[in-house]
Amino acid sequence: MSIKADDFVDITDVVCPVTFVKAKMGIEELEDGQILEVKLNEGEPLLNVPRSFKDEGHKVIEVNDNGDGTFTVFVEKSGL
Amino acid sequence: MEITNEQMERYSRQIILQGVGGKGQKKLLQAKILIIGTGGLGSPASMYLAAAGIGTIGLVDFDNVDLSNLQRQIVHSTNDIGRPKVLSAKESITAINPDVDVVTYQKIVNAGNLKNIIKDRDYDFILDCTDNFPVKFLINDACVLLQKPFSHAGILGFKGQTMTYVPGRGPCYRCVFQTPPPSDAVPSCKQAGVLGVLGGIIGTLQATEAIKYILGLGNLLTGYLLIYDALTMDFRKVKLSRNKKCAVCGEKPTITKLIDYEQPKCEAKR
């Protein structure tokens, strides 16, 4: 992991629609340009959460497969 | 304050909204809204505000639930007939959302107690959900004197109207309607009837204004009177100006304390 995140949120403990709610609340606390690291489950959260971030103007800069059914996504606040 | 996972789920549909988010939800959970009248307008307003997670809701009503109320006052149930409306409403609200702190005032509002009720929890926004002119003027004057924002509304027959007052941002109710009409000039709901859904439509608009005010979102009905006609299905927005000579919010106010106007005899209750 080469990217240094400013904050981290784990949304593997919740299901839709709370997944994005929790992720959104995480990025709210950051300043524009800062990076949020989000750990999420494969499947529905991986499909929807990065897309919802893009819809709100944030840039998904990297997606890593953790190999255990979870992924780690790095998002730059207001990066689009 | 921290939002729990359970609250994230309960409020997920509005936290997801752009412009609301967790910060907006916290504002709602910390907000204090006073609803004067738990009848046709106050019923849906209180239920939606509770559902949205308004942290403190004050309810003012001196009356008991009557069978003839149930055609429109949806916060009360048939089992509540004869019970104080504030208690019946509190139970419904708590059943919808136990997060809400409901404060009840089983009182007839008058010039002697209204300011103290508003100051009791230092409410952020007030909803006039009453059914008579003397109290509508009383609420307006109290809010102007205390510099509190409020939503006015009235329903009768097939029509309803609403406007929002925010100090320094447009006219107050008295700028538009200088004094109450003569007590025999206007029929009450009891005499003229009212379509039950009117309370739902207009009361829900009042709740919308309160939520927008707390969130700081969009445009409020300040400087406008919204008039709804259920028969023609017209929503009309009438632009209103401040009256510099307004007796309470004008440049040289003559009303500096609250006035109790005489209530119509058959309607000597809120």
Side-chain angles (χ1 to χ4, degrees), chain B residues 220-240:
Chain B
L220 298 170
L221 276 175
T222 48
Y224 290 96
L225 183 69
L226 182 72
I227 302 168
Y228 171 64
D229 184 329
L231 293 181
T232 58
M233 222 45 181
D234 287 320
F235 278 96
R236 210 152 57 91
K237 230 170 126 180
V238 181
K239 199 165 174 19
L240 306 169

Side-chain angles (χ1 to χ4, degrees), chain B:
Chain B
M1 74 181 294
E2 283 302 312
I3 291 189
T4 64
N5 278 6
E6 191 184 323
Q7 286 174 320
M8 278 185 212
E9 186 168 357
R10 177 183 285 272
Y11 305 117
S12 57
R13 297 302 190 281
Q14 68 196 29
I15 293 177
I16 280 176
L17 291 174
Q18 292 216 33
V20 182
K23 287 181 180 172
Q25 188 59 52
K26 285 180 193 170
K27 284 184 195 169
L28 295 174
L29 287 165
Q30 285 163 349
K32 293 170 283 184
I33 294 181
L34 182 68
I35 301 172
I36 306 176
T38 58
L41 294 163
S43 286
S46 62
M47 293 164 84
Y48 272 111
L49 290 174
I54 297 296
T56 304
I57 295 180
L59 300 172
V60 192
D61 207 310
F62 80 96
D63 214 352
N64 293 329
V65 179
D66 185 83
L67 178 59
S68 67
N69 298 152
L70 301 180
Q71 160 258 11
R72 64 197 177 283
Q73 303 184 10
I74 58 170
V75 79
H76 312 296
S77 304
T78 305
N79 288 339
D80 295 316
I81 292 170
R83 300 180 64 217
K85 285 186 175 179
V86 288
L87 295 184
S88 157
K90 180 179 180 169
E91 280 179 13
S92 303
I93 286 174
T94 307
I96 292 168
N97 189 352
D99 278 352
V100 183
D101 177 18
V102 185
V103 187
T104 58
Y105 307 88
Q106 196 182 345
K107 294 174 175 170
I108 298 180
V109 294
N110 58 42
N113 65 16
L114 181 53
K115 279 168 117 178
N116 287 335
I117 291 172
I118 295 170
K119 284 194 270 189
D120 179 41
R121 294 287 177 109
D122 189 24
Y123 288 99
D124 303 306
F125 194 92
I126 291 111
L127 265 60
D128 169 9
C129 298
T130 65
D131 62 357
N132 68 83
F133 286 103
V135 175
K136 291 193 181 301
F137 280 86
L138 196 62
I139 292 169
N140 179 73
D141 295 352
C143 288
V144 171
L145 294 175
L146 293 174
Q147 292 289 285
K148 291 284 184 185
F150 81 100
S151 165
H152 151 85
I155 51 173
L156 192 65
F158 295 93
K159 290 180 184 169
Q161 65 177 39
T162 180
M163 67 176 276
T164 301
Y165 166 78
V166 178
R169 280 204 255 160
C172 77
Y173 181 65
R174 202 183 271 279
C175 286
V176 187
F177 307 98
Q178 281 79 20
T179 54
S183 58
D184 56 353
V186 183
S188 68
C189 279
K190 224 183 243 178
Q191 297 154 335
V194 63
L195 197 66
V197 295
L198 259 300
I201 293 162
I202 305 295
T204 305
L205 289 175
Q206 290 186 280
T208 312
E209 289 287 271
I211 289 169
K212 280 159 54 195
Y213 175 81
I214 299 298
L215 292 174
L217 280 182
N219 301 315
L220 298 170
L221 276 175
T222 48
Y224 290 96
L225 183 69
L226 182 72
I227 302 168
Y228 171 64
D229 184 329
L231 293 181
T232 58
M233 222 45 181
D234 287 320
F235 278 96
R236 210 152 57 91
K237 230 170 126 180
V238 181
K239 199 165 174 19
L240 306 169
S241 304
R242 260 194 81 185
N243 176 4
K244 286 179 183 171
K245 293 178 181 168
C246 174
V248 68
C249 81
E251 287 167 356
K252 291 176 186 165
T254 53
I255 297 171
T256 52
K257 58 186 179 69
L258 298 182
I259 310 163
D260 278 320
Y261 290 100
E262 196 187 341
Q263 307 259 354
K265 287 289 176 284
C266 67
E267 270 293 316
K269 48 186 207 172
R270 185 318 335 5

